[in-house]
Amino acid sequence: MDRPDVIAQLRALTARIDALVDRAQKLSEENRSLRQQHEQISGERSQLLAKNEQARSRVEAMIARLKSLEQHT
């Protein structure tokens, strides 16, 4: 193998390594972003579950009051 072939192969390998490094950085950034989104969505889910539970409790209390009113009339 002559020297120009080795240099060309090294340049090609360097370019592939650079592309892989760029891809790894992009994937790392995407992963970080997805983790943040997951945390945000999990927080929103918790809040919605709490609101749902409050609404359920209120509806149950209203039903109980209506039943009590029915029994007293």
Side-chain angles (χ1 to χ4, degrees), residues 15-33:
R16 289 180 65 190
I17 290 171
D18 289 342
L20 287 172
V21 168
D22 288 343
R23 182 68 178 145
Q25 288 174 343
K26 287 178 184 175
L27 288 172
S28 178
E29 290 171 10
E30 182 180 357
N31 190 31
R32 182 187 50 77
S33 175

Side-chain angles (χ1 to χ4, degrees), residues 9-55:
Q9 288 179 351
L10 287 173
R11 285 185 178 149
L13 184 58
T14 300
R16 289 180 65 190
I17 290 171
D18 289 342
L20 287 172
V21 168
D22 288 343
R23 182 68 178 145
Q25 288 174 343
K26 287 178 184 175
L27 288 172
S28 178
E29 290 171 10
E30 182 180 357
N31 190 31
R32 182 187 50 77
S33 175
L34 289 170
R35 286 182 190 272
Q36 286 177 344
Q37 287 177 16
H38 181 266
E39 287 180 22
Q40 179 182 358
I41 289 170
S42 292
E44 290 173 2
R45 181 180 183 273
S46 294
Q47 290 175 353
L48 289 172
L49 287 172
K51 286 181 180 181
N52 189 34
E53 181 62 26
Q54 288 175 352

Side-chain angles (χ1 to χ4, degrees), residues 5 19 25 30 53 58 62 66 71:
D5 286 343
Q25 288 174 343
E30 182 180 357
E53 181 62 26
R58 288 179 183 165
M62 282 189 259
L66 287 172
Q71 291 175 356

